[in-house]
Amino acid sequence: MAQYLTPPVAPQRPTRVEIHDDVLIDPYFWLRDRTDPAVIAYLEAENAYQAAVLAPTVALQEQLYQEMRSRIQQTDHSVPEQIGNYFYYQRTEEGQQYPIYCRKPVNAENNREAVEEILLDQNQLAAGQPYCGIGNFKVSPDQRRLAYSLDTAGDETYTLYIKDLATGALLGDRIPNTYYGLEWANDSRTLFYTGLDAAKRPYKLFRHQLGDDPAIDGLVYQEEDQRFNIHLQKSKSRAYLLVTLDSSMTSEVWFIPADQPLTPPKIVEPRQQGIEYSVTHHDQRFFITTNDQARNFRVMTAPVSDPGKANWQEFIAHRDSVMVNRTEAFQRHLVVIEREAGLRQLRIIDLTTNQAHRVEFSDAVYTYSFNHNPEFATQLLRFTYSSPITPETVFDYDMDTRVLEVKKRRAILGNYDPSLYQTRRLWANAADGVQVPISVVHRKGIRLDGDHPLLLSGYGAYGANNDLGFNANALSLLERGFVVATAHIRGGGEMGRQWYEDGKLLHKKNTFTDFIACAEHLIAQGYTVPPKLVIRGRSAGGLLMGAVTNMRPDLFAGVIAGVPFVDVINTMLDPSIPLTVSEFEEWGNPTDQQFYAYMKSYSPYDNLTAQAYPHLLVTAGLNDPRVQYWEPAKWVAQLRTLKTDQNQLLLKTNMAAGHGGASGRYDYLREIAFEYAFILNILGLTNTPEQD
């Protein structure tokens, strides 16, 4: 590999772009053409170069991989979930990359002799494939058929299959170019699914009758506005199919009776720019969560017979300090998913008495995720809870008695002891005086003397909540003395709707200055120093990495930018690229002079300069539909011509995957081990946990 110790040089073929009164010269525009053999050759040369540079870490990568793998209960199963007369669950087997989807009859829950029925073995589907992703998995209401979709390229374009569960045979109803939305009507013969346009936007809703040629499937709805995507779900009551059309800041919902799948969809309330709402069904009414006259959202009710805004009645009023994310309706309870002071909350309302209470959590930093909860007529709410020191724990919560029952706690092998670790919530002062929360985990008893390596992550976009939960893989860092932290910066939704709006469009730079403020606060508090501080972010978090590295390269020892959105101007000027038009409301439209000037002032690719940069590891996916591979490739190529340091600059492109990286669980661990080895290597830390 000696020939690869010299960095690859991508030839410059300047392309001129004129916009407004400005001229952009893009020397690496040619890297967009994946059919050009020179493009593939360049990506492969970069892969060979990074492999050669990190060759001394191969043993360390293997050690880290074995550490992380040794913590996994490799042969395991999920908590069974009742749907009708069956318990459904997934299980894994040692040595197998993917889950096996199974079920057993309800009356056989405690019968060890009951015959398990394997519905789908993803390991068999993945045989011979470089990538294997399941997009949809829906059993028909009569539980006789399974509809599932498969992606073997990582580009999130799925082919839909239907399996007869009695015979195990696939039906002839094979439908390509589908997306995540998929639901059965109650007749178990009618399927609704979404189709993609050329920009991979789910813009059509189709109705399919079993046995029909998909070419004659009925078009239920087509969305012409390129800012909007179609989403599909079935109400927990199983009474309605809910069709949501949404952009970054506007939404509209239609509904179809699940018992009458041929009925044309009926609208809840026509879209109005800037107004968002979501719908859950209960009895003769809809619960509607909306930001109409409520920045942090409120909950309304409306009759199913006439659900327009004229009939909306307030059920939960707007609160300045509490953000309502959504609701879930059960037969006798309404579950409200809220956020307050940066933490997720669960509010339960008894619909017979209107009495409300919250589920109490004791950790200073925590998160939870909702399980499927398919049954409507139950008082049990299932969710998965974790904190940075508490492994994922599946709870059944009795909404009447308020009793939590542990159904399963993820096993962490290797004598993991949570009492050895501590979590904290810190607050940094942003440039404009705003307090920004930071979640921190580390070994107990550390001295705040600035002598600790620290990994700081961030995202800060789309109003997403970047909560710090349990990460068994991070134990390989914590056991080596690391502090692991997450910055909950503006652009995310952790602190309410205003928090999101203050980090998007013409306020986007708050995201970057918030992150820098968090890094500076951790240094000032004695957690670390710049030579020991590594930062990491993916996708829009990769944009964050590029921006803060341009702004404060002196502050960080190393940067991991995963599938980073770094070529903001060129991407947002091209409506043919997936997500571009739909994200004008997130980033702005550069054909508008004001947005162009602002975006150009922070776009990482357009703001590279001749200066010293930290060590950089950049990743890409050749089939990535969200952040095209050429963005990180162009960024690295340009950076090579400008950086004045001798630090590592590495580009690793997964030539057989997309935005999420490897699909197999062991392959994923190898990717994490690769990143951790990069971190330890640049910090000069090759000690094992036992030596720490």
Side-chain angles (χ1 to χ4, degrees), residues 389-452:
I389 62 175
T390 306
E392 293 89 344
T393 306
V394 179
F395 285 106
D396 273 356
Y397 180 71
D398 191 309
M399 294 183 282
D400 288 330
T401 65
R402 306 185 186 184
V403 172
L404 276 170
E405 178 187 1
V406 175
K407 302 300 291 185
K408 184 181 180 68
R409 177 161 286 152
R410 178 183 173 189
I412 306 299
L413 306 185
N415 299 315
Y416 168 68
D417 183 355
S419 69
L420 299 177
Y421 303 94
Q422 180 175 354
T423 61
R424 295 183 180 180
R425 174 60 62 93
L426 309 177
W427 297 86
N429 285 315
D432 58 1
V434 170
Q435 293 278 293
V436 182
I438 313 169
S439 297
V440 175
V441 59
H442 53 76
R443 289 185 70 96
K444 280 186 178 176
I446 68 168
R447 296 177 60 188
L448 298 181
D449 54 7
D451 194 34
H452 309 288

Side-chain angles (χ1 to χ4, degrees), residues 15 24 29 31 50 93 150 228 246 294 322 363 372 440 516 594:
T15 298
L24 294 176
F29 190 86
L31 285 171
Q50 58 84 10
E93 295 181 351
L150 191 65
F228 285 77
D246 64 10
V322 179
D363 287 302
H372 187 206
V440 175
I516 290 169
Q594 183 182 24

Side-chain angles (χ1 to χ4, degrees), residues 46-193:
E46 286 283 4
N47 279 347
Y49 172 68
Q50 58 84 10
V53 170
L54 293 181
T57 72
V58 168
L60 178 59
Q61 291 180 45
E62 182 63 23
Q63 177 188 348
L64 289 162
Y65 169 73
Q66 293 299 339
E67 283 177 22
M68 292 185 285
R69 181 167 173 162
S70 70
R71 298 187 189 106
I72 299 174
Q73 184 75 50
Q74 296 188 54
T75 299
D76 202 359
H77 63 83
S78 65
V79 179
E81 183 176 70
Q82 183 175 352
I83 304 177
N85 297 322
Y86 288 91
F87 281 110
Y88 290 82
Y89 58 97
Q90 299 175 30
R91 60 178 177 83
T92 54
E93 295 181 351
E94 184 169 355
Q96 297 287 334
Q97 291 262 30
Y98 298 97
I100 301 168
Y101 298 81
C102 309
R103 72 180 180 184
K104 285 184 179 180
V106 167
N107 58 13
E109 179 186 13
N110 298 313
N111 183 357
R112 295 180 180 273
E113 303 303 319
V115 176
E116 173 186 80
E117 184 180 352
I118 294 178
L119 307 182
L120 203 66
D121 186 341
Q122 193 174 345
N123 299 285
Q124 294 179 0
L125 298 176
Q129 302 288 351
Y131 181 93
C132 182
I134 301 291
N136 294 291
F137 185 96
K138 298 283 184 178
V139 176
S140 60
D142 65 8
Q143 302 186 85
R144 294 173 55 193
R145 298 178 182 88
L146 167 67
Y148 69 94
S149 59
L150 191 65
D151 166 22
T152 56
D155 62 358
E156 299 180 71
T157 301
Y158 293 88
T159 298
L160 172 60
Y161 300 90
I162 302 171
K163 183 177 182 180
D164 186 315
L165 296 179
T167 66
L170 290 179
L171 306 186
D173 314 57
R174 182 178 181 273
I175 307 175
N177 198 43
T178 68
Y179 203 53
Y180 295 111
L182 172 70
E183 294 290 351
W184 290 91
N186 288 344
D187 62 5
S188 296
R189 294 196 52 81
T190 307
L191 269 174
F192 291 82
Y193 64 92

Side-chain angles (χ1 to χ4, degrees), residues 648-665:
Q648 294 177 10
L649 173 58
L650 307 175
L651 172 64
K652 182 180 182 180
T653 303
N654 190 324
M655 306 297 283
H659 198 63
S663 57
R665 60 173 176 162

